[in-house]
Amino acid sequence: DVKVTQSSRYLVKRTGEKVFLECVQDMDHENMFWYRQDPGLGLRLIYFSYDVKMKEKGDIPEGYSVSREKKERFSLILESASTNQTSMYLCASGRGGLPNQPQHFGDGTRLSIL
Amino acid sequence: ELKVEQNPLFLSMQEGKNYTIYCNYSTTSDRLYWYRQDPGKSLESLFVLLSNGAVKQEGRLMASLDTKARLSTLHITAAVHDLSATYFCAVDNNNDMRFGAGTRLTVKP
């Protein structure tokens, strides 16, 4: 089974802090994704990456950056956390070039910015 | 820009009844996914639809895709309580996945 592991289930940080959310997948997937999930808005794509050191902006990249130095790890960075970034963050991975494969999701990180 | 709209957003059903959830999207795509999310859990893949006219069935759930109408449906037959969850559709536009807002389904005895 594919395993997508997010480093924290719950995280509380203060406004202005730099926050790192880590995601690791164990299936050698090319594609990795970061979403935030908010009530009534579904999942919104922040960034995705289709290869090491490659990144693409999603719907809502403002206030975020990402890093993919190794194929298995995709990090989401909140440069200066703000209260409107309080949300559930979901990481996902998927096989590149094979459209019949769905994404596999981690358990999510519930981030609160105080 | 790809937009994905689901309706209804909330659905309360009696056990044994049938209902359909709709997923409309705004640009050409032939890759559509349905996911289920239980409270406090992550998303679980249900169906992958890759061509016009594709139909997939698993138990009491059946999903279909009409790429010309840019519409997918998730049909629930004879609902049972275990189907209570939030259901998301997602459309793949060259690896840029866009999700609908989700349909929160509650099945009541």
Side-chain angles (χ1 to χ4, degrees), chain B residues 17-95:
Chain B
K17 298 291 188 183
N18 305 332
Y19 208 84
T20 300
I21 299 170
Y22 296 89
C23 176
N24 293 272
Y25 54 98
S26 61
T27 63
T28 302
S29 176
D30 56 4
R31 303 180 189 181
L32 192 135
Y33 305 81
W34 284 96
Y35 292 87
R36 168 183 173 143
Q37 186 179 37
D38 292 296
K41 302 283 182 67
S42 195
L43 277 75
E44 171 192 346
S45 175
L46 290 175
F47 299 110
V48 179
L49 302 168
L50 298 175
S51 61
N52 187 39
V55 177
K56 296 275 184 76
Q57 182 161 6
E58 179 79 29
R60 300 173 188 273
L61 299 178
M62 183 173 72
S64 65
L65 178 61
D66 181 344
T67 58
K68 293 178 181 176
R70 298 177 186 169
L71 170 69
S72 180
T73 60
L74 180 66
H75 187 72
I76 302 152
T77 302
V80 293
H81 179 70
D82 284 352
L83 290 180
S84 296
T86 300
Y87 294 85
F88 292 93
C89 65
V91 180
D92 184 345
N93 184 25
N94 292 324
N95 289 323

Side-chain angles (χ1 to χ4, degrees), chain A residues 33 37 45 59 99 103 106, chain B residues 33 35 37 42 95-98:
Chain A
F33 306 81
Q37 183 177 17
L45 182 65
D59 273 337
Q103 292 183 356
Chain B
Y33 305 81
Y35 292 87
Q37 186 179 37
S42 195
N95 289 323
D96 182 1
M97 289 282 272
R98 301 299 168 106

Side-chain angles (χ1 to χ4, degrees), chain A residues 85-100:
Chain A
Q85 292 178 308
T86 292
S87 187
M88 170 70 88
Y89 289 86
L90 291 170
C91 174
S93 73
R95 178 75 66 194
L98 288 175
N100 59 333

